[in-house]
Amino acid sequence: MLGGIAKNGLDRILLVEDNEDHIEHTVDALEEGGIINSITVVRDGLSAIQYLKHEGPYSADDVAPRPGLILLDVKLPKRDGFDVLATIKSDPDLKTIPVIMLTTTGNEEDIARGAMLGANDYIVKPVQFDEFIHKVKGLGKYWALISDLAR
Amino acid sequence: MGNRKPERNEVINLLTDKRAELLSTWHENIRSIRENLHLGYLPHGNALPISLEELDDFLTAYLEDLHKGQSHQSEEYLLDLVERKIAAGWSLTFLELINSTFVNAVRVMVRGTFPDSFDSRAQYMEWISELVSRNDLRLAHKYETLLGKLTKELMERQRELEGHNAMMQQFFDVASHEFQAPLWSILGHASKLISHYSPHIGEKGMHGLARIQDNVREMHLLIQGFARLLSVTSFSSQVSEFSLQHVMRSALNRIRREMEKEVEVQLPAGLPRMVGNRQQIEHLFYELLRNAILFADEARENIVEVAFEDSEGPREACRIWVKDRGIGIPQEYAELVWKPLERLNDVQVEGLGLGLAYVKRVVEVHGGQVRIVPEYSPGTCVEVVLPKSRPHEHVHIH
C-alpha cells in the first residue's frame, strides 16, 4: 500500500496551517499513515490563495505545482480558512481539488459552515492523538482516490 | 369596553382571578430575566428584588384588605404605593404588573368604568386618552408617565444584559480556539514521546507523560464544556420543529459510540414533536442519558429507563423522566447539582460539573423546568418539562 497514493497521481498535499507544532504533528501523522507524498506548507490564508492562483511569490512557473489534496486549518492569519475555502470552491479551475478542513474546537457551527462552503471533509484535532493519525490515514487515502477519479 | 358599575363581589372575584394570573406572569418574568442573567456573572443589581413568595404575600394581603373593606381602594393610594415602592428599589416589572392590573381593577370600584380587557397596548393607550378627554388629565398623565418610565428602564436593563452576554460569548468563541491550539500541541508531543521513545524514558517518565495527557484532556473538556454552556444564549437562535424520538435516539447512539459500559437503556415509543433548538435539546438528553448510564450500578439492576407524559393544553408541554437505579443523589444536593463546576465530593461519578448546568440552561431557554424528583428510590429520576411550542411574548397589560 505504501506509495500507492503517489502512483495514483496525488503527488502533492498542500497543508495550510500557522501553528508550528500543529504542522509538525500533521506532517508526522501523514508519514505515519503511510502517505509519503510531498507536502507543501503555507502558513496563512493569503499565501494559500496566492499559491493556488500562482500569484505574488508563487507567480513563477513550477514554483507552485497543483496539489491533489488540501488540508486547511480553520483559524489562520490574514485570510481565515473559510475565506480560503470559499475562494477555492468558487474558482472553476480549483474547485475539483478536495479540501479537508482541520478544526481545533470541533465547533458544530464551524463544521456546518465549512460543509456549506463546499469542504469535502473535516478532521477535528482530537484529544486522542492516535485517532488523528488514524483519521489522516483514512481520509488521505479516500480523497486521493476521489481526486484521481475526478481527473 | 363595558361601562357599567360592577358589584363589589365581582371586583373581588376578578382580583382573586388576577392573583393567579399575576403569579404565573411573574414567574415567566423571573425566568426571562434569569435568562439574561446567564451564569450569574452579570451584575445582579436589583433585577430581582422580589421573589414569587413575596409577590404572593403582597397580593394576598391586598385581597384581604379588600375583603375587610379597608380604605385603600383609591387610585391615589395605589399610585402612591407604587411610587413608594420604586423609591424602595422594588422590581420594575413587578410594579408594572401592579400598575396595569390592580389600578385598573380599582378604577372599577371608584369610577365604574372598566374595559373588559385590553387586547393590545394600543387599546390601552386609547383608554388612557379617553380618561384624558374626560378632563382627568392629572391622573391619566401620572399613570402614563409612570408606566412609560417603568417600561423604558426595563428595556434598558434588558439591553445592557444582552450586550454583556454577546460580549462574553464572543470572547469565549475566540478564546476557546486559542486555548485549544496549545493543548493539541502538547498532546501531540506527549503522544510521540510515548510511542517512539518509551525505552529511553523509563517507567516513571512514561507515567509522567500519561498524567500530562490526562490533564490536558481534562483541560480540553473543560474549555469545550464552557464554550458549549456559553453558546446557549437565547431561544430565538436556530429554531426548528423536530421529533423528540429521533433526538433521543441519536443522543443515545452518540453515547454508545463513546462509552463501553454495558447498560440497558429503555426508550419509550411515541415521543412527540417539539419546536426548539434541535442541537441543544439533543445535547441535553446526551448529558442526562450519559449521567444516568454512569450512575447505573452493576451491583443492582443495570437499567436506565426513559418515560414520558404528553399533555395537550393551551401551553402544551411534554414531561420526560430519565431514571437510573444507581446510588442516587442525596436530597441536600438536589439543587446544587445544577450549578456549574459544582462537583459533589461524596458522589463518585466522573465528570467536570458542566453537564447538568448545560441541561438546566437549555431547559430554561426553552421555557421549561428540570428537577431531581425528590424521594425517588432506588436511584435518581430527573424530570424535564419542555413546552412543545415556542414560548410567546407577553403583553403585560391585561
Side-chain angles (χ1 to χ4, degrees), chain B residues 199-395:
Chain B
H200 307 282
I201 295 169
E203 203 178 311
K204 241 185 161 167
M206 291 291 278
H207 170 77
L209 283 171
R211 296 297 304 136
I212 289 178
Q213 284 187 315
D214 290 348
N215 278 283
V216 171
R217 276 179 203 130
E218 185 169 327
M219 191 73 202
H220 162 83
L221 290 175
L222 262 178
I223 297 168
Q224 203 178 43
F226 263 113
R228 195 183 284 283
L229 185 59
L230 289 173
S231 71
V232 189
T233 44
S234 73
F235 188 82
S236 55
S237 61
Q238 295 180 0
V239 170
S240 64
E241 197 194 317
F242 53 84
S243 148
L244 274 168
Q245 195 78 37
H246 291 166
V247 159
M248 194 84 80
R249 199 165 310 127
S250 61
L252 186 61
N253 287 340
R254 219 171 97 210
I255 299 168
R256 291 286 190 223
R257 282 197 298 274
E258 290 173 9
M259 274 171 77
E260 284 176 3
K261 189 169 177 182
E262 275 301 318
V263 173
E264 183 188 339
V265 179
Q266 301 173 342
L267 289 189
L271 279 158
R273 298 180 70 77
M274 71 168 277
V275 173
N277 183 319
R278 192 190 165 165
Q279 210 179 321
Q280 289 173 3
I281 296 289
E282 184 181 320
H283 196 76
L284 176 157
F285 286 111
Y286 167 88
E287 293 287 355
L288 287 182
L289 289 169
R290 193 172 171 278
N291 264 350
I293 291 172
L294 285 171
F295 263 112
D297 192 345
E298 281 165 43
R300 308 179 204 192
E301 273 177 297
N302 211 358
I303 295 173
V304 167
E305 187 197 342
V306 178
F308 78 101
E309 190 184 282
D310 191 9
S311 62
E312 303 289 327
R315 192 150 159 67
E316 294 172 46
C318 180
R319 206 172 281 268
I320 300 170
W321 296 276
V322 178
K323 307 172 197 172
D324 65 63
R325 300 180 194 172
I327 50 169
I329 294 172
Q331 190 55 40
E332 63 261 42
Y333 296 137
E335 283 300 314
L336 220 54
V337 294
W338 305 107
K339 286 168 95 181
L341 299 178
E342 199 72 56
R343 264 178 288 183
L344 311 169
N345 283 337
D346 43 346
V347 181
Q348 290 297 319
V349 169
E350 66 171 271
L352 297 159
L354 287 171
L356 288 180
Y358 178 86
V359 167
K360 188 165 178 67
R361 179 95 194 107
V362 170
V363 167
E364 278 174 357
V365 163
H366 282 78
Q369 287 134 41
V370 62
R371 65 180 185 129
I372 310 279
V373 176
E375 315 285 337
Y376 181 83
S377 178
T380 308
C381 175
V382 180
E383 180 186 70
V384 182
V385 184
L386 283 170
K388 289 186 289 179
S389 57
R390 203 191 163 98
H392 46 77
E393 299 293 318
H394 310 286
V395 181

Side-chain angles (χ1 to χ4, degrees), chain A residues 107 109, chain B residues 35-42 164-176 179 222-234 237 280 340 354 357-358 361-362 365:
Chain A
N107 184 324
E109 271 169 45
Chain B
E35 200 167 290
N36 276 302
L37 284 174
H38 233 191
L39 284 175
Y41 50 72
L42 295 175
H164 258 284
N165 283 349
M167 206 172 69
M168 203 59 200
Q169 201 200 338
Q170 219 171 20
F171 165 76
F172 212 83
D173 278 351
V174 177
S176 70
F179 293 154
L222 262 178
I223 297 168
Q224 203 178 43
F226 263 113
R228 195 183 284 283
L229 185 59
L230 289 173
S231 71
V232 189
T233 44
S234 73
S237 61
Q280 289 173 3
L354 287 171
Y358 178 86
R361 179 95 194 107
V362 170
V365 163

Side-chain angles (χ1 to χ4, degrees), chain A residues 82-97:
Chain A
F82 295 121
D83 205 353
V84 177
L85 179 64
T87 310
I88 295 171
K89 293 300 172 186
S90 61
D91 184 317
D93 291 334
L94 299 175
K95 69 178 178 195
T96 53
I97 306 175

Side-chain angles (χ1 to χ4, degrees), chain B residues 77-204:
Chain B
Y77 173 84
L78 266 173
L79 287 171
D80 284 351
L81 175 81
V82 165
E83 275 179 6
R84 278 205 311 276
K85 294 300 179 189
I86 290 179
W90 277 41
S91 158
L92 300 180
T93 319
F94 167 64
L95 292 167
E96 194 182 354
L97 280 170
I98 302 181
N99 227 4
S100 59
T101 324
F102 274 66
V103 175
N104 285 352
V106 169
R107 274 176 199 274
V108 184
M109 300 167 124
V110 176
R111 210 178 297 272
T113 60
F114 187 66
D116 295 329
S117 66
F118 292 113
D119 293 333
S120 62
R121 193 163 280 260
Q123 205 183 357
Y124 165 77
M125 294 313 287
E126 198 181 294
W127 186 63
I128 293 272
S129 49
E130 199 187 308
L131 284 181
V132 173
S133 70
R134 279 202 260 119
N135 282 333
D136 206 349
L137 270 171
R138 196 181 53 84
L139 271 176
H141 181 67
K142 202 170 171 184
Y143 190 18
E144 196 182 356
T145 338
L146 194 58
L147 196 64
K149 192 175 139 207
L150 297 172
T151 315
K152 193 164 152 268
E153 282 179 37
L154 194 68
M155 303 287 273
E156 271 167 21
R157 185 175 290 277
Q158 284 270 356
R159 260 200 302 278
E160 189 187 318
L161 291 173
E162 280 163 14
H164 258 284
N165 283 349
M167 206 172 69
M168 203 59 200
Q169 201 200 338
Q170 219 171 20
F171 165 76
F172 212 83
D173 278 351
V174 177
S176 70
H177 178 272
E178 300 302 323
F179 293 154
Q180 298 284 17
L183 290 184
W184 199 67
S185 299
I186 298 170
L187 261 186
H189 288 300
S191 292
K192 280 189 240 169
L193 285 172
I194 289 174
S195 48
H196 300 310
Y197 300 94
S198 57
H200 307 282
I201 295 169
E203 203 178 311
K204 241 185 161 167

Side-chain angles (χ1 to χ4, degrees), chain A residues 10-119:
Chain A
L10 173 66
D11 41 25
R12 185 168 301 273
I13 292 172
L14 179 66
L15 171 62
V16 192
E17 171 70 81
D18 62 316
N19 183 311
E20 288 302 327
D21 289 304
H22 292 203
I23 292 172
E24 191 186 321
H25 294 340
T26 310
V27 170
D28 285 357
L30 286 167
E31 279 172 7
E32 282 200 40
I35 298 167
I36 52 154
N37 315 67
S38 49
I39 298 160
T40 305
V41 181
V42 288
R43 287 173 172 75
D44 64 73
L46 182 62
S47 302
I49 293 170
Q50 287 177 330
Y51 179 98
L52 291 164
K53 295 198 164 191
H54 306 284
E55 290 169 358
Y58 303 99
S59 52
D61 283 348
D62 298 337
V63 181
R66 178 189 172 93
L69 178 69
I70 300 169
L71 297 177
L72 179 61
D73 190 33
V74 168
K75 242 353 229 260
L76 290 168
K78 295 183 189 170
R79 309 271 293 267
D80 76 7
F82 295 121
D83 205 353
V84 177
L85 179 64
T87 310
I88 295 171
K89 293 300 172 186
S90 61
D91 184 317
D93 291 334
L94 299 175
K95 69 178 178 195
T96 53
I97 306 175
V99 178
I100 299 174
M101 300 297 284
L102 303 174
T103 128
T104 320
T105 51
N107 184 324
E108 285 98 343
E109 271 169 45
D110 283 357
I111 292 167
R113 196 172 155 205
M116 250 146 52
L117 288 171

Side-chain angles (χ1 to χ4, degrees), chain B residues 16-57:
Chain B
T16 311
D17 288 347
K18 282 279 178 204
R19 177 175 159 273
E21 200 179 301
L22 267 174
L23 286 175
S24 90
T25 315
W26 181 243
H27 183 75
E28 284 294 310
N29 279 320
I30 289 181
R31 195 184 61 73
S32 83
I33 291 177
R34 286 237 169 91
E35 200 167 290
N36 276 302
L37 284 174
H38 233 191
L39 284 175
Y41 50 72
L42 295 175
H44 276 81
N46 56 359
L48 294 172
I50 178 167
S51 67
L52 202 57
E53 290 71 32
E54 282 174 293
L55 175 65
D56 196 14
D57 286 349

